[in-house]
Amino acid sequence: MNIFLKGALIVYVYADGALWKGLILAFGFFSISFFLALLNGQQMLNAYHVGVKIRTTLISAIYRKALKMASTAKKDTTVGEIVNLMAVDAHRFFEMSPYILMGITAPMVMGLALFFLWTVLGVSAFSGLAVLLAMFPISGIIASRMQTLQYKQMSVKDERVKSISEILAGIKVIKFYAWELSFQQSIGETREQELSYLRGAAVLNAGTEFIWTLTPFLVSFVSFTTYVMLGNVLMAETAFVSIVLFNILRLPMTMRKF
């Protein structure tokens, strides 16, 4: 509804209609936007509450299990792995919680967006959709590479945390034999390797963000070009409404990290 009110406002401005019509459209646009903002805010608040509870429960369970495990059972698990489970992996569930409902409603949102695009642009909408679908596998490949780098980085981080724990446990012996520089160099090399993986992940993440920032322009350009080449006249309300619909369609498809 908010999308078509925006189109109606654009038509009203170009047509220079009666003042009371403009006031009704403006009030309706503001009211719906305000109501949607309240609903979205409440949804995000509840989702984060659930995420905090899930994270707290997982951290408590991992910590309780680590305290009750026998020494023989811990031989295959390092201190770094336990710390990462509590500090990183459990936090993933907190980050994922706001997107659970979006993942459930994504098919319905995409279906409605496609239907409205069909009503606005006709067959031209599918050319823009083709560009959007073509960008998605590229982003998926980059995301897969990012997961590989993250796995390697977490392995190196486990090794670094384990080394630091062992150094702190035997700090008296290390100080006695003046081995500080040797152990400092060893930890520094491990940290540098970890930073190299983080830099690679940052570059890939920047590439993904660049692709999905460029995508709306490409989608709009291809769709509007096809629309005009089919003999239609591109009006302002058609362009703006289509751009909003394409952005709505793009959001569920970018949920690749979760």
Side-chain angles (χ1 to χ4, degrees):
M1 180 63 71
N2 204 3
I3 300 171
F4 293 101
L5 277 177
K6 183 181 293 186
L9 274 173
I10 296 173
V11 174
Y12 167 79
V13 171
Y14 275 94
D16 195 16
L19 178 62
W20 63 271
K21 292 183 180 180
L23 292 176
I24 291 176
L25 290 173
F27 179 75
F29 184 78
F30 169 77
S31 301
I32 294 177
S33 300
F34 182 75
F35 182 68
L36 289 176
L38 289 178
L39 291 180
N40 290 330
Q42 187 64 33
Q43 174 196 337
M44 295 297 290
L45 179 64
N46 293 333
Y48 279 121
H49 281 168
V50 174
V52 170
K53 293 179 181 179
I54 294 175
R55 183 184 63 180
T56 305
T57 302
L58 288 174
I59 292 175
S60 301
I62 295 170
Y63 193 74
R64 189 184 303 111
K65 182 66 175 179
L67 291 177
K68 292 182 178 180
M69 288 176 63
S71 300
T72 55
K74 291 182 180 180
K75 63 180 181 179
D76 297 329
T77 305
T78 64
V79 178
E81 291 176 350
I82 297 175
V83 172
N84 284 335
L85 284 173
M86 291 188 292
V88 180
D89 296 339
H91 188 72
R92 285 282 183 177
F93 287 89
F94 170 75
E95 295 177 342
M96 183 183 67
S97 58
Y99 297 90
I100 295 177
L101 182 60
M102 187 182 296
I104 296 174
T105 59
M108 181 181 65
V109 172
M110 294 176 66
L112 289 175
L114 285 173
F115 173 75
F116 289 133
L117 279 171
W118 170 264
T119 60
V120 174
L121 293 178
V123 295
S124 305
F126 292 101
S127 60
L129 180 61
V131 176
L132 194 61
L133 292 175
M135 291 294 181
F136 189 69
I138 299 174
S139 179
I141 294 172
I142 297 177
S144 177
R145 178 59 180 166
M146 287 178 60
Q147 290 178 356
T148 303
L149 287 177
Q150 186 179 20
Y151 176 78
K152 294 180 179 179
Q153 183 258 327
M154 295 302 295
S155 299
V156 176
K157 184 177 181 180
D158 291 342
E159 182 181 350
R160 178 174 58 84
V161 174
K162 178 184 177 182
S163 300
I164 292 175
S165 301
E166 292 175 350
I167 289 172
L168 293 176
I171 191 65
K172 291 183 179 180
V173 178
I174 294 173
K175 295 293 291 184
F176 181 78
Y177 288 101
W179 289 341
E180 297 95 332
L181 294 178
S182 298
F183 281 96
Q184 180 181 354
Q185 182 180 0
S186 176
I187 295 177
E189 292 174 354
T190 306
R191 179 58 179 166
E192 185 61 31
Q193 186 178 3
E194 182 182 354
L195 287 174
S196 66
Y197 291 136
L198 289 174
R199 294 189 194 100
V203 171
L204 291 175
N205 186 61
T208 304
E209 295 300 327
F210 172 77
I211 289 174
W212 287 104
T213 303
L214 183 65
T215 297
F217 169 76
L218 293 177
V219 169
S220 302
F221 176 76
V222 173
S223 299
F224 297 153
T225 301
T226 306
Y227 185 77
V228 173
M229 291 180 64
L230 290 177
N232 301 299
V233 179
L234 183 62
M235 304 298 292
E237 62 272 17
T238 303
F240 282 103
V241 171
S242 301
I243 291 173
V244 173
L245 288 171
F246 275 122
N247 287 332
I248 292 175
L249 185 63
R250 181 173 65 97
L251 181 60
M253 298 183 69
T254 56
M255 294 170 55
R256 59 200 177 277
K257 298 180 181 179
F258 303 93

